[in-house]
Amino acid sequence: MGLLFTNIKELVQVRESHLSFVSGKEMKTLPTIKNAYLYIENGKISDFGKMECCSVLHADQVIDAEGKMILPSWCDSHTHIVYAGNREGEFVDRINGLSYEEIASRGGGILNSAKKLNETSEESLYQQSKVRIEEIIALGTGAVEIKSGYGLTFDGEMKMLRVIKRLKENYPIEIKATFLGA
């Protein structure tokens, strides 16, 4: 099965030769091809290049990507997707100049997060985390590392790790778990 993207405004992160690692000055360069095509066959990139050089004569599906850019998926190497509730109010407090100590004295902070997590059922924790993983996938993330750490108890950390394992079993992106217990 072939999928052909045509008229891509800009195909991002393409190189003439394979590089397994980029660092230092090499990071200043973001190679692209303007007015490009991309051919995917059986789920793998089979061909790409400038539109004028496209030699793909048949594809099961053709998508005209005029005015759009195509780039690799994101790899998010530090997340805390598995948690209970939210801390939006605390972020507003930080923006307004409150210290972490002041936020904790008002009942917020990591201890409050741990309390919420430990009071939340594993199923509810999974359902909340599922929404977050679906959101990052929709935004282009293709691989993610998820840390535990909000449990602050053996049972809480294990609950988080089980939820991460379940996400890994149910979603098509690469998920790595990191135990970040206190």
Side-chain angles (χ1 to χ4, degrees), residues 61-178:
Q61 184 179 5
V62 177
I63 296 174
D64 185 350
E66 186 173 353
K68 296 179 175 57
M69 298 173 74
I70 294 181
L71 60 150
S73 65
W74 304 111
C75 177
D76 196 337
S77 61
H78 184 123
T79 72
H80 296 273
I81 286 175
V82 178
Y83 60 88
N86 70 63
R87 295 173 70 180
E88 290 171 6
E90 294 176 35
F91 293 128
V92 172
D93 288 343
R94 285 293 294 153
I95 291 167
N96 289 326
L98 270 67
S99 70
Y100 287 116
E101 262 183 350
E102 291 169 313
I103 292 168
S105 71
R106 295 169 67 179
I110 185 69
L111 295 178
N112 183 50
S113 294
K115 182 177 185 276
K116 283 181 186 173
L117 184 128
N118 286 303
E119 291 172 349
T120 300
S121 73
E122 189 169 319
E123 181 59 27
S124 178
L125 190 60
Y126 174 76
Q127 292 302 322
Q128 291 177 48
S129 303
K130 184 176 135 174
V131 171
R132 296 179 195 114
I133 199 90
E134 289 170 3
E135 182 178 9
I136 68 167
I137 290 169
L139 292 171
T141 299
V144 64
E145 180 260 5
I146 306 173
K147 297 179 184 311
S148 73
Y150 285 123
L152 297 184
T153 65
F154 177 80
D155 291 338
E157 294 298 315
M158 293 306 294
K159 180 180 1 178
M160 292 182 78
L161 292 171
R162 285 190 302 271
V163 168
I164 295 169
K165 181 180 180 188
R166 193 167 158 199
L167 291 170
K168 186 175 184 170
E169 292 168 352
N170 291 307
Y171 286 90
I173 68 170
E174 185 73 27
I175 297 176
K176 298 291 185 186
T178 299

Side-chain angles (χ1 to χ4, degrees), residues 48-61:
F48 64 90
K50 291 187 175 286
M51 195 62 216
E52 65 225 30
C53 300
C54 181
S55 61
V56 179
L57 300 174
H58 174 72
D60 299 305
Q61 184 179 5

